[in-house]
Amino acid sequence: MLTCLRGGHVIDPVNGIDHVGDIWFEDGKIIEQPQGRKADELLDVSGHVVMAGAIDIHSHIAGGGVNTARLLLPESHRAHTPRPKATPLSNAGWTTFETGRLYAQMGYTTVIEPAILPHHALHAHLELADIPVIDKGFLTVLGNDDFLLGAIRNRESESTLADYIGATLASTRAIGIKCANPGGVCACKQNLRSFSLDDEVPEYGVSARDIFTRLQRAIGVTGIPHPLHLHMSNLGLAGNIATALGTIEAAQGVPLHLAHAQFYAYGKEGKNGFSSAAAQFAAKINQNKNVTVDVGQVMFADTVTISTDVMKQLNSLPNGRPKKGVIFDGDSNGLGVVPYSYRISDFYNAVQWAAGLELFLLVTDPMQVFFTTDHPNGAPFTAYPEVFALLMSADRRAQWMSRLPAEVLEMTSLPSIKREYTLQEIAMMTRAAPRKLYGFKDRGELGAGSVADIAVYRPQKDNAAMFRNAAYLFKDGQLVVREGEVLHYRRGKTLFVRPDYDPDMNKRLDAYYDDLYGLPRSMFCVADDALPDRKFFREV
């Protein structure tokens, strides 16, 4: 069916469009305006803002950590209903169904889960398949695994590491590689409780710097679009700005993505020994165009932290709100789940909130900074509309700052920042930049040939209200949301990459698994016949 959205304010940074115009699409694809044909369906969107469907590059929506959080926090389930004797994990807490619905109503059409352990890949794919409407994918985690650390210790070549990455991506059907606290998780299992950039992993003699720089270069050899997605050492610690700056220096101009950067934007100034160092961090990012960051904005709410950084989560257990948590070991990283409540009256939480906004506002290029709350670690993704509103209004930020503890404003540059994001910059940060980061050729823009993932918003005085409920959302050309209500639940696709690699690596890994586990490696691979429906998988 030929459809035309007529008269909307079209904002498409990829194609340099920021004016009133029409969007035409047919058979799930955006097309040029056809000559001599009338639209089968004409929708007047004059007075509305039209963008490509939004892309979330880092949101924990599947995997063992998410399911453990559902089990750990029955009190957060809808209406606080008692847990039935038999509760499917996908129906506990925020269901997979609700994840798709809530993202769609905000105008999102693609979401990437950032941390799935390779041996958990099949289950993660089954969970993602159960999330309706949106397309999705995941990053798989390396950087604390015996095979990689042994190869780095033995000074094996970049091509060998690239073949290992290629084999891992092939066996997991992931879209890229994440590294969480490189070496630190392995060191934690040997009773270390802190691990910095140049500390060495016992028995391996390799440092965090060695691990992530070798991974970084090897990923470049594979040719996959997304650079190393790095969760740095020392997350959440006062003074960790030194780690962040040192990490950028160590990258030496090679592409690198830093995850949830707000959690590394801390100094040691003031009587509490905790301050925002976001201005210093942002200046370093601005000087290094090879570096991109997602922010991981904190918002004041009850939430739960989920991470494969077992060292950080183990150290966080005493500060859980409420005081409970789960840490479980596993090959390489393991997982940790600790509930938390960010409070506006808490000095440390308020500094975190301010530091995140500083990063958003002080990084000058919206193509280098990505919109995330590290869902759910900084805040649930449903807080996105309020964060958009804060970025677009200095007055709104001032209202929030008036509620912070007085000493917080002395530890941040936020009160002096008057910048306000434009709709064009919002579109760059949530559409154009993710398209470039993940190498998407078919989304994040409204040019001919792209999938017809189109979000339409009704401008309002309250920008949060505008972004909370899309007026319309089209997914692959189908109308799925009207006035914030999902009308049609459809199956989204799972996105993955498949780089070339030397097949001899498979033989080496088969022997490694047989020797280490006494099990065939094929038990841990995502086989074609294990997937629910292969037509819903799309290679990037």
Side-chain angles (χ1 to χ4, degrees), residues 94 98 102-103 105-106 373 375 379-386 468:
W94 248 353
E98 285 287 275
L102 292 167
Y103 263 113
Q105 76 178 39
M106 295 190 300
T373 61
H375 165 80
F381 68 79
T382 48
Y384 288 2
E386 188 58 51
R468 188 168 294 116

Side-chain angles (χ1 to χ4, degrees), residues 323-355:
K323 287 192 177 298
K324 55 182 176 178
V326 176
I327 306 291
F328 56 94
D329 196 4
D331 186 59
S332 66
N333 277 69
L335 284 165
V337 178
V338 182
Y340 196 72
S341 179
Y342 293 100
R343 300 169 181 167
I344 199 168
S345 59
D346 183 293
F347 170 84
Y348 300 96
N349 295 166
V351 170
Q352 291 178 298
W353 174 85

Side-chain angles (χ1 to χ4, degrees), residues 349-366:
N349 295 166
V351 170
Q352 291 178 298
W353 174 85
L357 292 175
E358 287 178 274
L359 282 175
F360 274 123
L361 296 163
L362 293 174
V363 175
T364 55
D365 184 357

